[in-house]
Amino acid sequence: RAAAASAGIAVTTQAGCGWTWSGVPEWLTLSGGGSTSVTVAIAAAANPSKTPRSATITLAGQSITVTQKGRLGAPANLRVIK
């Protein structure tokens, strides 16, 4: 599995300007939000696939692409003995 990971994005607006997020897939979790100056935490669940995954979300009217690597396969020089 590619490990779970998190990051933060700072959002600053003028007083009275509310904002939201949308387009968030189930493997991403966002927290924080709504106020004029906040850091929104974005957390990605572990990726069980070898295939990288990405999503483009909208946060405060801006498009943001989040990409997560796939899990690593066995190294080519690894020999498994039963």
Side-chain angles (χ1 to χ4, degrees), residues 25-46:
E26 63 183 39
W27 57 272
L28 284 177
T29 303
L30 276 62
S31 59
S35 66
T36 58
S37 182
V38 68
T39 297
V40 176
I42 300 175

Side-chain angles (χ1 to χ4, degrees), residues 4-78:
S6 62
I9 297 177
V11 177
T12 303
T13 65
Q14 294 180 1
C17 294
W19 54 272
T20 61
W21 56 65
S22 63
V24 181
E26 63 183 39
W27 57 272
L28 284 177
T29 303
L30 276 62
S31 59
S35 66
T36 58
S37 182
V38 68
T39 297
V40 176
I42 300 175
N47 184 356
S49 172
K50 287 184 180 182
T51 305
R53 59 187 176 184
S54 66
T56 300
I57 62 174
T58 302
L59 177 62
Q62 301 296 310
S63 293
I64 298 168
T65 300
V66 178
T67 302
Q68 183 183 33
K69 293 181 180 179
R71 69 176 167 82
L72 298 176
N77 62 350
L78 179 66

